[in-house]
Amino acid sequence: QAKTAGRNTVRFYDPSMQAALDRRSTLENELRHAIKRGEFTLHYQPQFDRLHRLIGAEALLRWQHPRDGLIAPAEFIPVSEQTSIILPIGSWVLETACAQLAAWSHGERTRGLMLGVNVSARQFRQPDFVDQVRNVLDSSHANPELLTLELTESMVLGDVADTIRKITALKQLGIHFSLDDFGTGFSSFSCLTRLSLDQLKIDKSFVVNLPGNGADAAIVTAIITMARSLGLNIIAEGVETEMQRAFLDSQGCHAYQGHLFSRPLTGEAFEAFVGGI
Ligand code: C2E
Ligand code: MG
Ligand code: MG
Ligand code: MG
């Protein structure tokens, strides 16, 4: 990269790279404004246990772009991760999710529901991440016992000692931890036991071809068996069909999330959904 090239080195100028950089800085600028202008919202995707009881939800970020409409996180989270813009976005998500959790505690049917919040690698690596979470919990009055932070394999492996320190400190507050997209990364078995996680989330890429795909069925069976024997709660994401659910159920999966049950819903739609169950 040009940045790391020393003096007197030849730099190759690539116009397509410049175009990509321009796009990125435009997006970064728009993202910076998006927070101030209130263009972000959280949607909530319901999660169910084996008996089809609602147990909680995952908060999923959406960007209501003034020109381009609703933008999914896959389009702006990776770019945000490469710049520090993910930090104010991550703070906004955590504050908004905790405010929602606190509001749910006043509803007869929403009280006690768990809420999963995705944390980005950069956000988690902040030296004051633990304090940030503690402050948000204090000011929102959300119950930490109902908050699940979702981490991914690649981010927990970066600096295992730092990860353990942070998870331990936050677990003392009552917070739960989930390992998202499980199976797509490279976590070792020893890591799984050392991190004192609460939940594994089976990535939807393993669920989509169940039960027909023998290899995926074998992987899912192995993940569930391992998670259960480690005492971890196991939830499958991306469950779209009754056949998928039935297979996961037969293997002992504890919980489900996916279009079979519900798509992610706005806060209002979520409350209507809960009222209608
Ligand atoms: P994820 O955390 O693994 O979230 C699950 C994704 O699966 C969501 O995509 C959800 O809408 C989608 N999904 C749920 N059920 C189904 C289904 O039945 N079929 C299929 N095909 N997909 C289903 P979404 O909302 O587009 O989010 C994508 C990713 O963006 C998330 O993956 C997460 O990694 C990231 N993300 C979302 N919100 C946040 C956030 O607030 N902060 C951070 N750092 N990342 C976020
Ligand atoms: Mg997630
Ligand atoms: Mg996931
Ligand atoms: Mg994913």
Side-chain angles (χ1 to χ4, degrees), residues 181 203-204 237:
D181 305 337
D203 190 66
K204 57 178 176 288
E237 67 178 19

Side-chain angles (χ1 to χ4, degrees), residues 183 206 214-224:
F206 297 111
D216 286 350
I219 289 171
V220 164
T221 299
I223 293 176
I224 294 173

Side-chain angles (χ1 to χ4, degrees), residues 47 58-60 116-119 150-152 178-181 201 237 257:
Q47 300 173 328
E58 177 177 10
L60 294 160
V117 177
N118 293 286
V119 175
E150 297 194 1
L151 311 178
T152 59
S178 179
L179 201 53
D180 204 355
D181 305 337
K201 265 189 127 163
E237 67 178 19
Q257 179 183 337

